[in-house]
Amino acid sequence: MTALITGGIERLGLSLAKLLQNANRPVIIASRSGEAPSPFQVVKFDWFDSKTFENALSDNFIDRVYIVGPPGSVNSSVIISFIDFAISKAVKRLMGVYRAEDIAQVAFETLTSELSSSKDILVVGPELHLYVLDIYHINENQTDQIIGC
């Protein structure tokens, strides 16, 4: 299955694309210019032109989308419109972080929600991932206990 990253040529999106590529996971970058660094596959995508939504999701194998929101302050209806379209195209996982406040909100929701009785959930930054694995003696097949943020 393939992941689509909107804003994939920006710092966060490109970092994620490289991680996916290094893990041998198919990834497509969506950008306004229709250009991306080699060796990534790219599609033209513009938040403010809904006609580009179809093109971005034309690959029938895309089932995950990481949303890097449009630059500047934007009415959320633009993002919601794309999410609705993605769901109609059978996308099963959508994730996105738009601002520092969003990261804080995700952390807050995770820390304050009722936890499953079957496992604990830890929210950590990427630099702490290996440290947490070590101090909690979590082996590689238990990494579903960690949600990175």
Side-chain angles (χ1 to χ4, degrees), residues 3-11 13-14 17 27-38 40-49 51-57 62 65-71 82:
L4 175 73
I5 303 173
T6 69
I9 60 172
E10 300 297 325
R11 183 176 175 203
L14 189 55
V27 59
I28 299 172
I29 291 176
S31 75
R32 284 189 310 252
S33 68
E35 297 175 5
S38 180
F40 295 107
Q41 181 181 348
V42 65
V43 293
K44 190 168 177 98
F45 177 84
D46 186 333
W47 283 106
F48 305 104
D49 182 358
K51 294 177 213 144
T52 65
F53 296 3
E54 178 71 41
N55 183 50
L57 293 170
I62 294 174
V65 176
Y66 185 83
I67 299 171
V68 177
F82 175 71

Side-chain angles (χ1 to χ4, degrees), residues 5 8-22 40:
I5 303 173
I9 60 172
E10 300 297 325
R11 183 176 175 203
L12 180 61
L14 189 55
S15 294
L16 177 57
K18 289 176 181 177
L19 287 170
L20 290 166
Q21 180 190 39
N22 290 339
F40 295 107

Side-chain angles (χ1 to χ4, degrees), residues 99-117:
R99 305 162 299 168
E101 293 85 5
D102 294 330
I103 295 170
Q105 186 64 38
V106 168
F108 172 80
E109 295 296 333
T110 302
L111 293 172
T112 60
S113 69
E114 288 297 319
L115 297 178
S116 164
S117 60

